[in-house]
Amino acid sequence: MKGNRYLVGRASALVLCAAGLLAGSDALPADGDFYDGETITVYIGRGPGSGTDLALRTFIQHWREHIPGRPTMVVRNIPGGGGTRVWNFGYEIAGSDGFTLLFSPFSGTAEILGLPGLRADFSQMPLIGGLKSPNMVYVRSDAVAEPEELLTVRGLKYGGQNPAHHYDILGRMALDMLGVDYVYITGFPGANDVFNAVRRGEVDMQTAGLTLYRFSIEKPLVATGQALALWHNPQVDVDGNVLPEPAAAGIPTFVEVYERLKGGRPSGEMFEI
């Protein structure tokens, strides 16, 4: 493994992790001029125009102003593998000189279960910090016009990326808790690909990050009546209080939708997860 001298990012919570470069590594001289006149290449595990891509490109415009030396930051996309290709690239190929940053969906499930395709060792990629990436669920209105129809619809096509992707897991668990009859269609390279499949009518619904939703999904689909925003997944504190996400204003929480359809608050193992 290429040591502890490069910046790494992950993005299902849009998290930046790294090995010490911004936190006192011996790779940085005391006078802080390490990045003067230098270029950091940012590799994103999603295609151009995806929610992850848009969030990162926006973020680095501000982040570079706070890195001593104000380096140039160049973006490169390495989509595919559900976001894992860029992790493998960073672990096996990328240089460890402090001029590489990786930013991609991270699947803790894939790592814990040792699923095929992910070869990176995240214990070698310490955490820097993160950008919160809330998520929500929407559905084509020709498949479900009102949330109540979720209880009677048959064969709803739920599009996703891979069974270990945490957005896919959250969406499927919510549908299972509600008792929705659906078919899980997986294998799309990224969330933007699922979105385009929804637009074409190949699948009916998706769990998407709010960045992609606000940038790409809301206006062409929801605002035109072609899709319905069903819910967003809120945080719940240790006392069980639901904390709605401010960025999801106008979209009910899953708890609110569950109470509306089932007449009571969700509970049990899946809800706790």
Side-chain angles (χ1 to χ4, degrees), residues 79-253:
T84 63
R85 282 185 60 197
V86 71
W87 293 121
N88 294 336
F89 167 81
Y91 183 73
E92 299 172 337
I93 300 173
S96 56
D97 54 6
F99 300 110
T100 300
L101 181 145
L102 311 175
F103 192 75
S104 181
F106 166 76
S107 175
T109 306
E111 183 182 15
I112 292 169
L113 299 179
L115 297 181
L118 177 63
R119 300 184 299 276
D121 180 357
F122 289 104
S123 69
Q124 301 297 320
M125 300 179 178
L127 175 69
I128 290 180
L131 302 177
K132 185 166 63 171
S133 178
N135 60 87
M136 55 81 64
V137 175
Y138 72 98
V139 63
R140 286 180 60 96
S141 54
D142 57 4
V144 172
E146 296 291 340
E148 285 76 10
E149 294 181 12
L150 288 169
L151 303 181
T152 57
V153 70
R154 293 290 177 268
L156 197 65
K157 298 187 290 293
Y158 175 74
Q161 298 171 59
N162 66 73
H165 195 287
H166 106 274
Y167 280 5
D168 290 16
I169 293 171
L170 284 172
R172 294 175 67 193
M173 290 175 66
L175 294 175
D176 289 344
M177 290 174 64
L178 290 169
V180 178
D181 184 277
Y182 70 96
V183 177
Y184 175 45
I185 300 176
T186 185
F188 292 96
N192 204 44
D193 301 282
V194 183
F195 159 55
N196 286 320
V198 174
R199 295 187 72 173
R200 295 190 296 266
E202 298 169 359
V203 296
D204 299 315
M205 65 188 308
Q206 172 187 15
T207 301
L210 275 166
T211 305
L212 180 65
Y213 177 74
R214 295 299 192 197
F215 272 115
S216 303
I217 299 171
E218 187 172 32
K219 287 184 179 180
L221 291 186
V222 177
T224 61
Q226 297 178 64
L228 174 68
L230 288 172
W231 62 74
H232 75 274
N233 289 302
Q235 297 183 62
V236 181
D237 67 19
V238 294
D239 297 319
N241 300 308
V242 176
L243 308 175
E245 170 55 54
I251 306 172
T253 69

